[in-house]
Amino acid sequence: MRLIIEKNPESVAVWTAQYIAKFINRQFENAPDKPFVLGLPTGGTPLETYKELIKLNKQGEISFKNVITFNMDEYVGLPEDHPESYHTFMWQNFFNHIDIQPENVNILDGNAPDLLKECQDYEDKIKAVGGIDLFLCGVGANGHLAFNEPFSSLASRTRLKTITHQTRIDNSRFFGGKLEDVPRNALTVGVATVTDARHLLVLAVGENKALAVKMGIEGAYSHTWTISAIQAHPKALVVCDEKAIQELSARAVDYFRDIEDRIKKDIW
Ligand code: GLP
């Protein structure tokens, strides 16, 4: 695991967007025709990173023409064009502003007539394109990855999940503070769907995420904090601002700062 500590949310976004751009460009240099498969989150945290990626796309430093995306999750029962659906979020905040081909965008359909089939088809599609090269993730305050709430199996795959009361409260800020409007269920990739990706990049900013970061990095590998699944991944990168690391022990911070000073700052 690597931990990158940046000063604030803005520098986290700049670092992450540049990293993703370098990563995608490097793969295209080695295999120009092979699509790059990118896993993506929603939420407040990745918004700034999307803005930076849009900037890099407009400056011609990165192209998404040969990028296939898979989003992590979607609410169940919320119309696709609802302002808070993850479909709307992704198109408004990212896809509408870059040169991605619409047929390369994959987002779970929370209104599919057969939700189980929808989940299985999603897993099959990820497999059919050769797996995910890089999964960009956020993390919930309770350590959830996608909608894999505490006590979700670390071996889970894409499926229907109940959203916990706490996460509904956290997400109610996007629904005008109305808890009753926040859906109770979601379709989500599983923890193992995420950790199957060849590379992981987890974003965490703000003191609200400090405990999740601590438990993810130095807590036990346990379903009580599903973020801790990244500990068993060979190429997991966590990018935080200073507030998000405030619960980490000095020992952990020293270790990660030390290895960042020694290794050439490059793509894994
Ligand atoms: C939601 C999403 C997660 C996201 C989390 C944190 O519950 N399902 O994928 O990581 O919220 O969101 P935020 O970045 O807004 O704190």
Side-chain angles (χ1 to χ4, degrees), residues 37-164:
V37 186
L38 182 62
L40 294 174
T42 55
T45 314
L47 266 180
E48 288 301 316
T49 299
Y50 291 150
K51 281 188 197 149
E52 290 299 324
L53 283 170
I54 293 167
K55 236 190 256 171
L56 294 177
N57 183 231
K58 296 210 184 306
Q59 289 164 357
E61 287 179 43
I62 182 181
S63 169
F64 292 91
K65 278 203 179 113
N66 201 16
V67 174
I68 299 176
T69 63
F70 285 89
N71 261 83
M72 295 190 126
D73 41 22
E74 177 58 286
Y75 290 117
V76 167
L78 206 59
E80 204 171 289
D81 61 357
H82 186 283
E84 292 309 329
S85 80
Y86 287 170
H87 277 78
T88 304
F89 176 98
M90 288 308 298
W91 282 98
Q92 278 187 354
N93 293 305
F94 194 36
F95 299 140
N96 279 339
H97 311 284
I98 58 171
D99 61 348
I100 196 159
Q101 309 195 54
E103 62 274 23
N104 283 348
V105 170
N106 297 282
I107 307 178
L108 284 154
D109 178 0
N111 294 294
D114 182 343
L115 294 174
L116 295 185
K117 182 175 180 305
E118 173 67 12
C119 295
Q120 187 54 54
D121 289 351
Y122 209 64
E123 287 279 334
D124 293 345
K125 195 153 187 207
I126 293 173
K127 222 179 269 167
V129 298
I132 293 177
D133 291 304
L134 173 66
F135 220 132
L136 178 66
C137 310
V139 58
N142 64 4
H144 70 251
L145 260 188
F147 270 124
N148 295 287
E149 298 282 20
F151 307 103
S152 296
S153 165
L154 300 186
S156 52
R157 317 291 329 184
T158 305
R159 69 212 184 291
L160 173 66
K161 281 295 287 178
T162 308
I163 305 172
T164 61

Side-chain angles (χ1 to χ4, degrees), residues 152-202:
S152 296
S153 165
L154 300 186
S156 52
R157 317 291 329 184
T158 305
R159 69 212 184 291
L160 173 66
K161 281 295 287 178
T162 308
I163 305 172
T164 61
H165 184 61
Q166 187 55 53
T167 299
R168 291 183 62 237
I169 292 174
D170 290 349
N171 289 0
S172 65
R173 69 190 194 277
F174 298 115
F175 291 81
K178 288 194 191 148
L179 180 60
E180 64 277 18
D181 288 354
V182 184
R184 292 174 182 275
N185 297 301
L187 298 186
T188 178
V189 293
V191 179
T193 320
V194 174
T195 54
D196 269 0
R198 286 180 275 281
H199 293 77
L200 301 181
L201 196 165
V202 181

